[in-house]
């Protein structure tokens, strides 16, 4: 890859579209493919990929948005830490407007909490060095994509013996989440577009259970339009040939064994939790990471008293069903009305990788609402 334009050429996209259409005609049945990663969801809508696919091919949006799967109770815990005297909470910008039970981090900051947006966990470590009289807590979250940088920051803090630094760890693992989806009888899928960023860390080997145990094909994909179209074509080719394999479209970055340096750092700092609560998916065994006892001095859950309560989502919010792929964003009752990016009710509308935000941001909102109004008028006329 020399230039990103190579992966956005209209002629190549049209050629792939025609091949996808041919394969769908050969299959001659409805096909459901889930793109796991929220980054893929946004690329699909940004470039209008879904609109050029055959009607028989449906893309299902998965739970690969780390902010979206954050349960409300854990966000309440982060807010509680930020409101502790003498604490500076550092976090990524995506989390600031996510609504908790009563408030958000942004609102907590407006009422006096010292909450700072950072681009890297190492930025929060620098804040700790600059403020030795304060307790600095980094709100760590994300899949295996961001866990290595968190672990390396803890190793750096240990090496420099920084006593006023800790992390509130909410890292989650993609493989247990995929297994939970595959075990869900309400969700019938024909294949997966596998996450690219996570796979750069973990590799492609961990996905073998999907093809071997569940007989579903998966193709790890890049994020450009031609990446996604080629991955869909590869999946359909497997279905036509009655194959179930793990294939790697994103081979310019993803290796079969993953990034061993990143995996070693993660294993050195983290261990797997017995259970972790996911928004929409509930408790999933062995799906979260926690800081090892060796580095307990950097564990904010041990350093601070937090509520640690399970909190139900807003009754009107259907983020859970959207994250499981059961509903489309526009099928949520409050999508685009009570729930907008300016006034979000659920996490899927807040995050830059949320499916609802993608629908809203890239113009599908207006098209969908027009169709909903047309359907409603048609139903009224038929009465």
């Amino acid at each position: 890859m020399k230039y990103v334009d190579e992966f956005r050429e209209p002629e190549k996209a049209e050629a792939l579209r025609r091949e996808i259409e041919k394969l769908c005609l050969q299959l001659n049945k409805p096909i459901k493919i889930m793109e796991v990663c929220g980054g893929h969801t946004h690329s699909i809508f940004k470039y209008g990929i879904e609109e050029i696919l055959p009607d028989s091919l449906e893309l299902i949006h998965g739970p690969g948005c780390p902010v979206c799967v954050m349960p409300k109770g854990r966000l309440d815990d982060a807010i509680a830490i930020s409101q502790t005297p003498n604490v500076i909470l550092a976090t990524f910008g995506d989390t600031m407007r996510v609504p908790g039970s009563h408030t958000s981090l942004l609102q907590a900051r407006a009422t006096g909490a010292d909450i700072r947006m950072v681009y890297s966990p190492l930025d929060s470590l620098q804040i700790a060095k600059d403020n030795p009289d304060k307790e600095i807590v980094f709100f760590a979250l994300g899949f295996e994509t961001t866990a290595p940088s968190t672990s390396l920051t803890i190793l750096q803090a240990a090496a420099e013996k920084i006593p006023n630094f800790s992390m509130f760890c909410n890292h989650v693992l993609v493989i247990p989440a995929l297994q939970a989806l595959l075990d869900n009888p309400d969700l019938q899928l024909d294949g997966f577009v596998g996450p690219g960023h996570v796979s750069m860390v973990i590799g492609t080997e961990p996905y073998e259970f999907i093809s071997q145990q569940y007989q579903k094909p998966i193709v790890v994909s890049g994020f450009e339009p031609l990446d996604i179209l080629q991955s869909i074509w590869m999946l359909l080719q497997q279905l036509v040939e009655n194959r179930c394999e793990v294939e790697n479209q994103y081979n310019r970055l993803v290796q079969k064994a993953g990034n061993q340096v990143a995996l070693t750092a993660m294993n050195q700092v983290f261990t797997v939790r017995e259970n972790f609560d996911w928004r929409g998916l509930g408790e999933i065994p062995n799906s979260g990471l926690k800081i090892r006892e060796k580095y307990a001095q950097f564990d904010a859950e041990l350093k601070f008293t937090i509520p640690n309560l399970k909190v139900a989502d807003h009754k009107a919010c259907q983020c859970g069903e959207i994250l499981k792929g059961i509903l489309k964003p526009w099928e949520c009752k409050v999508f685009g009305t009570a729930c907008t990016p300016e006034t979000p009710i659920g996490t899927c509308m807040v995050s830059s990788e949320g499916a609802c935000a993608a629908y809203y941001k890239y113009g599908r909102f207006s098209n969908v609402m027009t169709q909903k109004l047309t359907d409603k008028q048609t139903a009224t006329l038929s009465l």
Side-chain angles (χ1 to χ4, degrees):
M1 177 180 176
K2 291 183 179 178
Y3 307 106
V4 74
D5 291 349
E6 297 173 21
F7 293 85
R8 299 178 183 178
E9 292 184 14
E11 296 80 9
K12 291 180 180 177
E14 174 58 21
L16 281 166
R17 185 201 66 78
R18 289 196 299 267
E19 292 301 313
I20 287 170
E21 190 172 42
K22 289 178 186 177
L23 292 172
C24 285
L25 287 172
Q26 288 183 54
L27 290 166
N28 194 29
K29 65 176 183 178
I31 301 296
K32 290 186 176 183
I33 292 173
M34 173 177 279
E35 84 276 1
V36 178
C37 179
H40 285 143
T41 302
H42 272 251
S43 291
I44 286 165
F45 285 99
K46 180 179 180 180
Y47 297 107
I49 291 172
E50 193 173 50
E51 295 181 359
I52 67 170
L53 297 176
D55 292 339
S56 61
L57 177 57
E58 182 181 0
L59 297 181
I60 306 295
H61 318 309
C65 163
V67 174
C68 300
V69 299
M70 175 69 56
K72 191 175 284 188
R74 296 292 287 185
L75 186 67
D76 287 348
D77 292 342
I79 293 170
I81 292 172
S82 75
Q83 293 172 332
T84 304
N86 209 43
V87 164
I88 298 174
L89 183 78
T91 184
F92 296 131
D94 262 11
T95 64
M96 291 295 289
R97 293 189 302 113
V98 179
S101 299
H102 307 290
T103 187
S104 66
L105 288 170
L106 191 63
Q107 291 166 330
R109 186 170 74 169
T111 57
D114 193 345
I115 302 171
R116 306 185 189 183
M117 287 184 286
V118 295
Y119 292 100
S120 162
L122 284 171
D123 293 340
S124 61
L125 190 61
Q126 186 60 50
I127 294 173
K129 296 177 188 177
D130 295 339
N131 297 269
D133 58 330
K134 300 275 189 178
E135 284 289 339
I136 314 303
V137 181
F138 177 67
F139 186 10
L141 74 161
F143 288 90
E144 292 93 336
T145 312
T146 54
S149 62
T150 302
S151 57
L152 289 168
T153 302
I154 289 179
L155 291 173
Q156 186 69 23
E160 297 186 27
K161 298 180 180 179
I162 300 176
N164 63 323
F165 178 76
S166 60
M167 291 197 178
F168 180 45
C169 183
N170 292 272
H171 285 298
V172 289
L173 303 173
V174 72
I175 297 301
L178 289 176
Q179 188 160 7
L181 288 171
L182 287 162
D183 288 336
N184 184 352
D186 296 329
L187 189 61
Q188 299 300 315
L189 299 170
D190 295 290
F192 291 91
V193 174
H197 291 149
V198 165
S199 301
M200 287 192 295
V201 176
I202 68 172
T204 60
E205 288 179 341
Y207 302 114
E208 294 290 347
F209 81 98
I210 296 175
S211 60
Q212 295 173 5
Q213 184 177 340
Y214 293 92
Q215 298 297 298
K216 305 289 183 186
I218 179 170
V219 176
V220 174
S221 174
F223 295 87
E224 292 299 322
L226 295 186
D227 287 329
I228 296 170
L229 286 170
Q230 185 183 14
S231 297
I232 293 170
W233 173 79
M234 291 168 70
L235 279 170
L236 294 174
Q237 194 72 46
Q238 286 200 50
L239 292 173
V240 166
E241 297 171 1
N242 200 28
R243 292 186 291 117
C244 292
E245 299 174 9
V246 178
E247 293 186 321
N248 181 15
Q249 183 276 336
Y250 204 22
N251 55 17
R252 63 184 184 271
L253 285 179
V254 174
Q255 299 179 4
K256 186 175 182 180
N259 185 323
Q260 291 302 309
V261 174
L263 292 170
T264 298
M266 285 173 58
N267 291 331
Q268 188 174 347
V269 172
F270 297 123
T271 186
V272 177
R273 296 177 187 264
E274 289 186 10
N275 286 285
F276 194 79
D277 191 26
W278 293 55
R279 186 183 295 251
L281 301 177
E283 281 202 353
I284 302 178
N286 306 314
S287 65
L289 296 176
K290 65 178 181 179
I291 297 171
R292 289 187 181 275
E293 201 171 311
K294 180 180 178 181
Y295 299 100
Q297 69 199 82
F298 302 110
D299 191 344
E301 290 186 71
L302 301 177
K303 189 177 281 192
F304 299 93
T305 302
I306 57 176
N308 197 25
L309 298 174
K310 285 188 178 181
V311 182
D313 288 333
H314 192 288
K315 290 181 180 180
C317 176
Q318 294 180 285
C319 274
E321 287 78 7
I322 292 166
L323 288 167
K324 287 185 285 190
I326 295 172
L327 292 181
K328 298 286 189 181
W330 59 268
E331 293 177 299
C332 176
K333 298 173 184 176
V334 294
F335 173 79
T337 53
C339 185
T340 67
E342 290 73 30
T343 57
I345 292 176
T347 54
C348 296
M349 186 62 87
V350 179
S351 172
S352 60
E353 294 188 354
C356 295
Y359 268 70
Y360 196 98
K361 180 176 181 180
Y362 296 114
R364 276 63 186 174
F365 164 68
S366 57
N367 297 338
V368 164
M369 292 307 290
T370 300
Q371 184 62 50
K372 286 171 77 174
L373 288 171
T374 302
D375 293 344
K376 194 172 183 180
Q377 289 166 354
T378 302
T380 302
L381 288 172
S382 66
L383 294 175

